[in-house]
Amino acid sequence: MNQLDNIAKQLRSLRLGAAAGQLATLVATAEANEESYLSFAESLVSHEITQRNVNRIKRHYKQAQFPKEKRLDLFDYRHQTTVTKRQINGLLDFSFIDERNNVIFIGPPGVGKTHLAIGIGHEAIQAGYKVLFRNALTLVEELELAEMKGELKKRLTQLSKYDLIIIDELGYLPMSRQSRYNLFQLINSLYEYRSIILTTNKDFTSWGEFFHDDNVAVPIIDRIIHHSHIFMLGGESYRLKEKVSKT
């Protein structure tokens, strides 16, 4: 084993795999440019950090489980005029996550709520936060299954490890009494501890009807809207507009 291979092996033993993999190239570049030892060391460390960040972002994108690719730079603010680019960009310093605040998008189907939620989630991952996307129905089913197995507390602990949880399409389908209770347990466990982005087609005055129980709706609303940024979206459905334009 030559010296280069031996150093690469030692780097891998230190879990510096990216630096080990690029060692030969970095050494050749340093020799060709007559770099100082300090400059070479900086290049080696910089490469390792850069690759770790790339891998982290890829890993967090996979963990987030976004259902589709939705970028904020593709959002059509000319069509959706009830929210401005300035308002959404104002969220991208992510102080709302650092301060454990929530973001709520309320409006009818097809007006861009999910697009905005996923877009903000993508940017949050780029900024170093851990994000999870869940359709409300899927989330409720997960919690119900965990409760049936006697593992609800364990699942809530797992969910609380994310900095931001996106709950999409709450209010589109009715929920059982146990599902309402489980959802309350989740909201309560995240309250002032983690951040939520919520999209819903129902304004808060209709939540009692949706939950079939004001005794559940009121405490859930109270915890969600406390320290929240609320956006009321309106206008014509994007999906309807696209369908009409294709006919």
Side-chain angles (χ1 to χ4, degrees):
M1 180 181 295
N2 62 36
Q3 186 179 25
L4 198 64
D5 290 338
N6 186 51
I7 293 172
K9 181 179 179 181
Q10 291 175 336
L11 287 171
R12 289 191 180 92
S13 72
L14 295 171
R15 303 191 180 214
L16 301 173
Q22 198 67 14
L23 181 62
T25 300
L26 291 172
V27 167
T29 300
E31 289 176 343
N33 295 332
E34 298 184 356
E35 293 181 8
S36 66
Y37 297 125
L38 194 58
S39 293
F40 170 70
E42 183 179 27
S43 298
L44 195 67
V45 172
S46 178
H47 178 77
E48 180 69 33
I49 291 173
T50 298
Q51 195 57 49
R52 285 191 181 192
N53 285 335
V54 169
N55 293 339
R56 174 187 54 78
I57 289 171
K58 287 181 179 179
R59 184 172 65 253
H60 286 181
Y61 273 137
K62 185 176 181 179
Q63 291 173 347
Q65 299 180 47
F66 294 120
K68 57 189 74 174
E69 186 82 6
K70 295 288 186 180
R71 298 287 185 175
L72 287 179
D73 57 3
L74 297 177
F75 189 79
D76 188 357
Y77 292 98
R78 293 172 300 176
H79 178 80
Q80 178 48 267
T81 59
T82 56
V83 66
T84 67
K85 187 174 183 179
R86 182 188 296 267
Q87 287 175 305
I88 299 303
N89 284 346
L91 299 171
L92 300 184
D93 63 356
F94 300 108
S95 58
F96 82 90
I97 296 180
D98 297 333
E99 296 169 5
R100 310 301 188 249
N101 293 347
N102 301 321
V103 175
I104 305 169
F105 295 111
I106 302 174
V111 295
K113 303 186 301 296
T114 301
H115 188 149
L116 289 171
I118 293 176
I120 293 170
H122 272 286
E123 296 296 326
I125 289 174
Q126 290 283 349
Y129 298 96
K130 292 183 67 176
V131 178
L132 179 68
F133 178 97
R134 279 293 183 271
N135 175 274
L137 179 60
T138 301
L139 177 62
V140 165
E141 289 175 344
E142 285 182 13
L143 295 177
E144 187 171 1
L145 181 60
E147 191 273 333
M148 290 172 61
K149 292 181 176 180
E151 298 177 351
L152 181 60
K153 185 175 180 180
K154 177 182 177 182
R155 184 57 181 151
L156 295 179
T157 299
Q158 291 171 341
L159 291 171
S160 70
K161 293 179 181 179
Y162 292 91
D163 301 299
L164 173 65
I165 296 180
I166 300 171
I167 304 176
D168 191 41
E169 297 187 339
L170 182 66
Y172 284 78
L173 293 172
M175 298 168 61
S176 68
R177 184 179 180 214
Q178 187 61 50
S179 294
R180 297 194 297 268
Y181 171 76
N182 292 341
L183 181 63
F184 172 73
Q185 291 288 93
L186 173 62
I187 299 300
N188 194 50
S189 68
L190 299 176
Y191 177 57
E192 295 191 329
Y193 180 61
R194 291 290 185 260
S195 294
I196 296 170
I197 294 181
L198 178 71
T199 76
T200 178
N201 65 331
K202 297 186 181 299
D203 61 52
F204 296 120
T205 59
S206 303
W207 278 37
E209 177 185 343
F210 164 65
F211 282 108
H212 305 291
D213 187 351
D214 284 336
N215 291 329
V216 176
V218 170
I220 287 180
I221 292 171
D222 179 64
R223 284 158 178 76
I224 288 177
I225 68 173
H226 191 212
H227 310 307
S228 285
H229 305 266
I230 301 174
F231 299 89
M232 303 292 295
L233 276 62
E236 182 186 359
S237 167
Y238 280 101
R239 290 187 288 273
L240 180 61
K241 177 187 175 184
E242 290 175 356
K243 184 176 181 180
V244 171
S245 66
K246 292 178 182 178
T247 59

